[in-house]
Amino acid sequence: MIKLFIKSDCLGSKKAEDFFKKNDIKYDRVNLSFTPMKEEFLFLMQEVAPNLSDLINFNSEFFVSYPHLKEHLFKISAIDRNKEILDFILEYPEVLSYPIAFDVHDNKKPGNLLVGFNDSEWKVFLEENNEFLEPIYSNINKSFVFESCCFYDEVKKDDTDILVKLGN
């Protein structure tokens, strides 16, 4: 079952839900505006994205308001990095890039992980037997300064499509 992690005021999250409904894709909706992120899902996500910081939108409004926390994350030693980032995400789930679609089989075996929203990319990503794709993708431009919660909210103005493979 696909878990769709969303934020209430995020246009990208709304578009992702509309995409799932339009394409008759079953999903379990988790609104992180009201429900805390469960540690078990972050552990499963870490199996797909070993560097949990790939899920964080470092250019979000949150870090504009709290730049010292951004600096703190960049200074974490490699030894403690994943544990501290996991704890940080649990404490401040608003730092995540939204939406996040995570294919979890029986809450045990992680599948594909998709961060951010673009309907044409999601169609390809969610196809069965898509051999050319890696298990984690994002259309989040990490160098873009966001005025709102996600990349989709910003590029809706100019229809820019960016697909970035994380981990490189």
Side-chain angles (χ1 to χ4, degrees), residues 92-132:
Y92 304 106
E94 60 270 30
V95 302
L96 292 170
S97 296
Y98 292 98
I100 299 172
F102 188 37
D103 191 7
V104 183
H105 309 284
D106 300 322
N107 287 342
K108 292 182 175 101
K109 183 183 173 220
N112 293 337
L113 178 63
L114 190 59
V115 182
F117 180 77
N118 178 296
D119 61 350
S120 61
E121 293 164 357
W122 277 37
K123 285 176 187 173
V124 172
F125 189 81
L126 295 173
E127 287 177 4
E128 293 291 325
N129 304 317
N130 52 8
E131 298 172 14
F132 66 93

Side-chain angles (χ1 to χ4, degrees), residues 8 16 21-22 46 52 56 65 70 92 101 132 152 159-160:
S8 292
K21 290 174 186 172
K22 178 182 166 190
Q46 193 171 10
L52 282 177
I56 295 176
S65 299
K70 183 177 182 177
Y92 304 106
F132 66 93
Y152 189 88
D159 292 327
T160 303

Side-chain angles (χ1 to χ4, degrees), residues 127-156:
E127 287 177 4
E128 293 291 325
N129 304 317
N130 52 8
E131 298 172 14
F132 66 93
L133 292 176
E134 296 293 325
I136 176 170
Y137 273 85
S138 172
N139 67 354
I140 303 300
N141 180 340
K142 299 295 183 179
S143 64
F144 190 83
V145 177
F146 294 86
E147 295 175 7
S148 55
C149 72
C150 71
F151 184 67
Y152 189 88
D153 288 352
E154 302 302 323
V155 299
K156 68 180 186 233

